[in-house]
Amino acid sequence: RISIENTKNENEYTILTVYEAIMNMLLSADEPNESIDVTDANDFELMLTVADKSGFLGSSVLLFPEVIQEAIEEYYPNSTKLLILPSSTKEVILIPYPEDNTSILELWEIVKSVNETSVAPQEILSNENIYIYEKESNIIRIFEKSEVM
């Protein structure tokens, strides 16, 4: 319990739209990357990234539902649930709960595929799980595939 409190006290979390996160990366890069197409920013505005200030343990936000509560209140005030995708140990991605089960099932495949192709093995948070935040209970938990099948 003490270590969880220390983690929270030591970490400041940032919540950005994926578009803002991409733009920050592009602006801070030594050499601009022309291959990233951000012309349709609306696609990126629906997703949020949560990272910690150090840039190393952003996934620790899973221990602190109050940070996710802040995100839902600011960015998705009409939502009652958010899905949390384990992007890496450095960050997680938040998306509004989709209306159709097919989209949810596709997210598991996307997480697995991205981890296999784009995330360093030591930075993989999970290949098997996505998480859900439920506003009413203020709880983050593993989201089971059986809930959508």
Side-chain angles (χ1 to χ4, degrees):
R1 188 81 180 137
I2 292 172
S3 64
I4 290 174
E5 285 303 313
N6 287 341
T7 300
K8 185 177 180 195
N9 292 336
E10 292 295 319
N11 287 328
E12 182 179 324
Y13 295 95
T14 59
I15 301 168
L16 299 172
T17 66
V18 170
Y19 177 77
E20 291 169 329
I22 290 171
M23 294 309 293
N24 285 346
M25 286 188 315
L26 291 174
L27 293 173
S28 67
D30 292 333
E31 296 179 31
N33 186 337
E34 302 297 329
S35 66
I36 298 177
D37 181 12
V38 290
T39 54
D40 194 0
N42 290 335
D43 291 343
F44 297 109
E45 292 295 328
L46 292 176
M47 299 182 289
L48 301 176
T49 63
V50 181
D52 70 330
K53 192 174 182 179
S54 73
F56 293 108
L57 295 172
S59 62
S60 65
V61 73
L62 292 172
L63 299 170
F64 308 112
E66 60 272 14
V67 176
I68 307 301
Q69 181 182 22
E70 178 185 319
I72 202 171
E73 288 173 358
E74 183 174 341
Y75 291 94
Y76 311 115
N78 297 324
S79 295
T80 59
K81 301 177 191 176
L82 293 179
L83 291 180
I84 305 170
L85 307 181
S87 175
S88 71
T89 57
K90 295 180 178 183
E91 67 183 5
V92 297
I93 296 174
L94 308 179
I95 62 169
Y97 191 88
E99 299 206 10
D100 66 274
N101 291 345
T102 304
S103 295
I104 297 171
L105 293 172
E106 288 173 355
L107 291 172
W108 266 285
E109 295 306 315
I110 291 169
V111 167
K112 188 174 183 178
S113 175
V114 168
N115 281 340
E116 290 173 354
T117 60
S118 303
V119 179
Q122 68 273 17
E123 293 179 2
I124 293 174
L125 180 61
S126 175
N127 265 341
E128 303 299 323
N129 297 314
I130 61 176
Y131 303 86
I132 187 167
Y133 169 80
E134 296 168 312
K135 184 177 180 179
E136 186 175 309
S137 61
N138 195 35
I139 290 176
I140 297 170
R141 64 177 176 82
I142 293 174
F143 189 59
E144 302 290 337
K145 282 187 181 179
S146 62
E147 295 179 62
V148 293
M149 297 183 129

